[in-house]
Every structure is written in C-alpha cells, then in structure tokens.
C-alpha cells in the first residue's frame, strides 16, 4: 500500500519543503510553513485530473484515428474580441482565469458573456450557465444584468462561497459554463481554516476544475490583481488553468483583454473594449485609436508606425522629448517602450548622425498608452528621437517600420505587406521601410513604398537632411 507523505508548504507562495522552516526560502515570509499531507500517488497534493486537457479523463487508451472530433470543441462567447483572445472561442472543459484590478469590469464582462454565449442547445435542459458569486448579492447581480440588458433564461445565480455546497449545486444543475466570482472567496474546511490562502485556492480551484473537466463544462475564475500586478494571494491559480486572461486599461480609457497563457491558442491577441453606461462595448476598428488627429502640422518629436498586436495591425504614434540632463548624466523615462531599446536606438543615432543624446534626459510615450514590445518600431523610435532633437517635424503623411541593427542598418520586419496596407487605409501616402527582398513586392504594388538601407539614408529620405 502506498504510504501517505507529509511535507511543509508555505501558505503565501505554495513553496514545499520536506522539513519545517521558520522562514520560507522562496518568498521570505516568516511563520508561513504549514504541514500538509500528500495523497498517495500524487506529487504535490494536486488531483491528477486537475491539470488535464478536456477529454483526457478516459481510463483506456484509444486509437488516435478513432478519436471523435465531430462535436465542436469550442463555442462562442458572443464577443468577437474575447473569442479571438481565447484562440477561437471558449474550449469545452477548459479552465480560464480572468485577472484584473478591482473595478476594471471583470464581473461586468463575465455577466455579458453569460448573456451572450452560444452553447449548442440540444434540449431544454442543456446550455445552462451558473454564475457563482461570493462577493455580491443576488439583487446586485440582477441589477447589473438589467443594466446590461441581459435577457437570457439560461443563467442561474448562486450566492455561495462554501466549496461543498457549490459542488452539490453543480451536480444538481449540470451547467455547461461556470463563472466563479471570485476564486479568492471560495473556502473548504478540508483546506485549513483561513480563507484566501494558497492552500484554499489550490484545493478549491482543483476541485472545481476537476468537476468541469469531468463534466465537459468550461469554467471561468475571476481573480483580483493587486497594483503590483500579481493576483492577490495565489499566483498558483495561473498554473492550474488552461488559459490566463488579464484585463487592463490604458490612460485613454481603452480596456484590453490579453492572454498571458493559452493552451489552446496564441498569447499575442488583444481584445479591446470601452466601458459604457450599458456595459463593455467591443472596439471593432481600432486602427485609428492610437493616433491623435491633428488639423495643423505635426509638432516635432512624433512619428507613426503600424504595429502588430496578435493578428491585427494598428497605427500607433510614438512621442519623444529630450531636454538637457538635470543630473549630469542622461536618464530615460519610458514606460511604454523598454528603456534598453530606447538607449540603444539613441546610441545608434548618436554614432551615425552626430547628434548627442548622452547629455540628454529622454522621455518616450506612446499615444493611447499601449505598450510596444516589437522590433518593428525601432525606425519610428529613431525618427521621433531625431525629430525632437533637431526640431524638424516628421512628415504628417509618412509612416515607417523597421528594425535597426547596432551598425545602423534597417533590417527586415515581419508582416510588411499588412503594415503598408494598414497605413494606406489610414490615409498615409508614403511608407519608408527596409530595402529587402521581402519588400520587393510591396514596392512594386504600392508606389508609396521607399526602401532604405541604413539610418542615415532613412533620415535623409524622411526629413530631407
Ligand atoms: P465591475 O464589473 O464590478 O468590476 P470588477 O468586477 O472588475 O471589480 O465593474 C466596475 C465598474 O464598471 C464600476 O465602477 C461601474 C462600471 N460600470 C459601467 O460603467 N457601466 C456598466 O454598465 C456597468 C455594469 C459597470
Ligand atoms: Mg467584481
């Protein structure tokens, strides 16, 4: 017979150790190690089916070519933006975490999804949705649903935080979509006395995920994220679920849903929303969202670049400002583009264009507050820096894209064709980018394209210097 094993686990971060320690070596907290008993055969106390993909619960092996995939494994959330971020809809039997700051609109989004999901409804009794709330009362939920104009008759409400009673209701009503608002409110006596600890969240999360996988239901866990960006208490949920979504907002009030982990799709997609009086509205054409409309000319220090967010291209405005360094050495203030990228591009300009940046404080911003992580923005960043330093405005009708090497060459960038199309659609009439084989076709098809080899050629072509 397998022997039960005990280990000590930190209630803050979940670190496990064979012996008791006064201080957790992982998170550094004192007196947080508690003794737990591992079930025989399990390594970490996890239930074995808890982390499995849907349809993995069968006891016997099966021939690959006999696997039946005729029943669609996904259903639509009713929101194109959410479906795209999930990789094509909600996967049956999957567990999804929706994290975000309090007030960002997590409960609103989930209630709207509950009201608009398109689950296959074979019979009267199928396609049920259970919205479990440990945070709000039934009347609060009803008031929100009314405000959102939700008329669905398939939504059941459960105001409960006790795991066993939740499981009882699940067994009785057999929903196909479950919303747990929030994971931090569920408690089980079996997982210790304190609610919200790693043990509780882990135990309750696994129980609910197991139920969902066994019943081919999809489950959403809402989780609060603190200002530091970490899910309050248990980061551990991220490891248990198939997909992790984060809900965040920009300075301009646009709300983003982004996948930080996705077992069933890419993590590059971005879903865009605005919060209106009647709930979250999808932003279906975001291409101009991050451009500031100006009737008169462009002020110096601003450039335009089409960027890729997942599968869509957006025009974005990069802004730069340099002022003589206050502290004797140069500092970079840039929270939308990585500081290292900014200082590298400034160094390339300094070397090739005889412009000094090393005695300047550099401020970089992106209109609309979007964070930019891709190499394709480097030429635009160089243009914004050059423009502010020389006081020559970037031409209004021009867009650029390209990566810059340390030697100052303009390197090919992915999706050039789509970038050029997006710029054209937005009314740009000139496009400067790498002079590469990849852009040959773009050059002949769109007469607006001009390929450049290096940074000084780019500056000459764009600014006429
Ligand atoms: P909520 O979904 O409660 O946020 P979370 O669950 O992430 O804490 O919504 C938060 C805010 O959204 C709240 O301040 C009110 C606002 N709101 C609207 O502006 N319009 C609406 O239709 C709804 C339902 C909420
Ligand atoms: Mg809420």
């Amino acid at each position: 017979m397998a022997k039960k094993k005990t280990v000590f686990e930190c209630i803050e971060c979940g670190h496990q150790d064979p012996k008791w320690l006064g201080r957790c070596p992982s998170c550094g907290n004192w007196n947080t190690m508690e003794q737990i008993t591992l079930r025989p055969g399990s390594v970490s106390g996890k239930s074995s089916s808890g982390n499995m993909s849907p349809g993995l619960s069968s006891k016997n092996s099966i021939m690959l070519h006999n696997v039946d995939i005729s029943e669609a494994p996904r259903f639509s959330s009713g929101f194109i933006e959410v479906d795209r971020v999930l990789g094509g809809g909600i996967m049956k039997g999957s567990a999804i975490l929706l994290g975000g700051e309090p007030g960002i609109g997590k409960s609103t989004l989930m209630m709207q999804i509950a009201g608009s999901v398109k689950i296959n409804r074979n019979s009267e009794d199928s396609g049920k949705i259970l919205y479990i709330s440990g945070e709000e009362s039934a009347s609060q939920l009803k008031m929100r649903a009314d405000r959102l104009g939700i008329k669905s008759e398939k939504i059941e409400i459960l105001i409960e935080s006790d795991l066993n009673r939740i499981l009882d209701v699940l067994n009785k009503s057999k929903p196909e979509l479950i919303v747990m608002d929030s994971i931090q409110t569920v408690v089980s006596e079996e997982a210790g006395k304190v609610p919200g600890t790693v043990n509780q969240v882990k135990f309750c999360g696994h129980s609910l995920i197991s139920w969902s996988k066994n019943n081919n239901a999809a489950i959403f866990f809402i989780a609060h994220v603190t200002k530091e960006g970490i899910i309050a208490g248990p980061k551990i949920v991220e490891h248990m679920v198939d997909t992790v979504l984060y809900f965040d907002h920009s300075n301009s009030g646009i709300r983003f849903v982004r996948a930080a982990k996705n077992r069933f799709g890419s993590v590059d997609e971005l879903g865009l929303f605005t919060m209106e009086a009647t709930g979250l509205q999808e932003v279906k054409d975001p291409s101009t969202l991050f451009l500031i409309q100006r009737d008169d000319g462009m002020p110096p220090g601003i450039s335009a670049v089409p960027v890729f967010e997942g599968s869509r291209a957006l025009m974005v405005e990069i802004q730069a400002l340099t002022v003589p360094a206050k502290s004797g050495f140069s500092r970079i203030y840039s929270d939308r583009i990585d500081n290292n990228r900014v200082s590298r591009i400034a160094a390339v300009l300094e070397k090739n264009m005889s412009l000094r940046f090393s005695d300047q404080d550099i401020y970089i911003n992106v209109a609309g507050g979007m964070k930019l992580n891709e190499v394709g923005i480097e030429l635009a960043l160089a243009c914004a820096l050059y423009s502010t330093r020389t006081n020559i405005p970037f031409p209004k009708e021009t867009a650029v894209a390209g990566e810059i090497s340390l030697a100052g060459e303009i390197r090919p960038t992915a999706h050039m064709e789509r970038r050029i199309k997006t710029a054209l659609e937005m009314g740009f009439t000139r496009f400067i980018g790498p002079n590469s084989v990849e852009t040959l076709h773009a050059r002949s098809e769109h007469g607006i394209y001009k390929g450049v080899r290096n940074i000084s050629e780019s500056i000459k072509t764009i600014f006429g210097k």
Side-chain angles (χ1 to χ4, degrees), residues 233-293:
K235 182 92 174 160
I236 221 144
V237 201
E238 285 197 2
H239 303 302
M240 309 192 309
V241 296
D242 302 302
T243 303
V244 177
L245 302 182
Y246 277 108
F247 208 177
D248 202 354
H249 62 91
S250 72
N251 311 349
S252 56
I254 302 293
R255 290 165 203 239
F256 308 86
V257 176
R258 191 194 283 281
K261 159 181 172 181
N262 194 357
R263 203 174 263 177
F264 309 120
S266 102
V267 289
D268 304 322
E269 297 289 349
L270 196 63
L272 298 171
F273 294 89
T274 54
M275 180 66 94
E276 310 292 342
T278 50
L280 291 156
Q281 300 292 324
E282 295 178 280
V283 179
K284 293 215 171 94
D285 179 21
S287 32
T288 52
L289 213 59
F290 303 98
L291 281 184
I292 297 173
Q293 298 303 325

Side-chain angles (χ1 to χ4, degrees), residues 407-410 452-459:
E409 306 145 296
I410 310 300
V452 284
R453 262 172 284 271
N454 53 46
I455 186 70
S456 43
E457 195 183 335
S458 317
I459 296 293

Side-chain angles (χ1 to χ4, degrees), residues 103 106-108 131 135-136 144 181 222 224:
K106 301 181 293 297
S107 304
T108 305
Y131 194 112
E135 305 213 325
E136 287 164 299
R144 179 182 290 127
D181 188 358
I222 291 181
H224 299 296

Side-chain angles (χ1 to χ4, degrees), residues 21-186:
L21 298 163
R23 186 179 191 202
C24 171
S26 171
C27 67
N29 279 308
W30 289 92
N31 294 327
T32 52
M33 302 296 280
E34 278 188 0
Q35 189 171 13
I36 60 162
T37 308
L38 296 183
R39 257 169 280 149
S42 86
V43 197
S44 59
K46 285 177 190 168
S47 82
S48 58
S49 62
N51 208 19
M52 269 185 185
S53 294
L56 265 183
S57 51
S58 89
K59 302 263 182 314
N60 302 317
S61 59
I62 176 170
M63 296 305 290
L64 181 61
H65 64 265
N66 285 340
V67 176
D68 180 14
I69 50 164
S70 55
E71 204 199 333
R74 294 180 192 260
F75 56 92
S76 169
S77 67
F79 287 93
I80 299 167
E81 297 293 298
V82 175
D83 287 352
R84 198 188 34 248
V85 174
L86 288 173
I90 302 171
M91 186 72 94
K92 287 182 185 170
S94 70
I96 300 155
L97 178 74
L98 177 65
E101 284 174 27
I104 185 83
K106 301 181 293 297
S107 304
T108 305
L109 180 63
M110 285 323 302
M111 187 56 91
Q112 284 183 270
I113 290 177
S116 63
V117 278
K118 296 181 176 67
I119 309 179
N120 269 346
R121 277 151 197 185
N122 309 328
S123 68
E124 260 301 275
D125 213 33
S126 63
K128 272 200 237 165
I129 299 146
L130 183 67
Y131 194 112
I132 311 161
S133 180
E135 305 213 325
E136 287 164 299
S137 66
S139 53
Q140 280 172 314
L141 293 182
K142 174 76 168 98
M143 271 152 59
R144 179 182 290 127
D146 284 349
R147 182 172 173 182
L148 298 170
I150 288 165
K151 299 203 173 58
S152 167
E153 287 169 3
K154 291 285 185 182
I155 308 173
E156 289 176 18
I157 294 292
L158 174 64
I159 307 301
E160 185 58 79
S161 53
D162 181 83
L163 177 70
N164 288 332
R165 285 201 287 266
I166 291 175
L167 289 172
D168 283 347
V169 175
L170 287 177
N171 284 324
K172 249 184 264 142
S173 102
K174 296 240 186 278
E176 286 175 49
L177 178 68
I178 306 157
V179 180
M180 184 66 239
D181 188 358
S182 66
I183 178 69
Q184 280 121 332
T185 58
V186 209

